[in-house]
């Protein structure tokens, strides 16, 4: 289904087990990269955000596959 390195978009879903403070809600519509899998069956998705530039660590959340849509990459004209 998804693998490390896939580009994905976070889609609006029922959002089961999302962060209670609403921080994951801000990721709906954002593009990210799958950086790993989770023991829960979800996938860790990393985002390039302002926070990762200012505090020195990456910003990622673990999403259920239903929360994600694979994004095609443009490979250029041949």
């Amino acid at each position: 289904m998804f693998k490390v390195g896939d580009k994905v978009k976070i889609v609006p879903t029922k959002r089961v087990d999302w962060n209670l403070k609403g921080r994951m809600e801000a990721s709906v519509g954002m593009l990210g990269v799958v950086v790993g899998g989770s023991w829960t069956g979800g996938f860790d998705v990393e985002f390039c955000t302002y926070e990762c530039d200012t505090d020195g660590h990456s910003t990622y959340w673990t999403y259920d596959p239903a929360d994600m849509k694979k994004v095609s990459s443009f490979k250029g004209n041949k």
Side-chain angles (χ1 to χ4, degrees):
M1 181 175 286
F2 296 101
K3 63 184 185 302
V4 172
D6 282 349
K7 293 179 183 175
V8 296
K9 183 176 185 175
I10 306 303
V11 297
T13 64
K14 210 169 185 180
R15 298 180 196 67
V16 178
D17 295 328
W18 277 32
N19 174 271
L20 296 176
K21 295 185 180 185
R23 293 184 69 196
M24 288 178 80
E25 298 286 334
S27 67
V28 173
M30 290 180 69
L31 299 176
V33 176
V34 175
V35 294
S38 168
W39 61 271
T40 63
F43 294 90
D44 297 333
V45 178
E46 183 176 51
F47 301 96
C48 184
T49 63
Y50 182 74
E51 292 92 24
C52 74
D53 294 334
T54 60
D55 61 14
H57 70 277
S58 61
T59 301
Y60 74 89
W61 295 100
T62 302
Y63 295 90
D64 187 87
D67 298 325
M68 303 163 28
K69 177 181 174 185
K70 195 169 184 178
V71 177
S72 300
S73 297
F74 179 71
K75 306 245 184 205
N77 296 320
K78 292 187 177 185

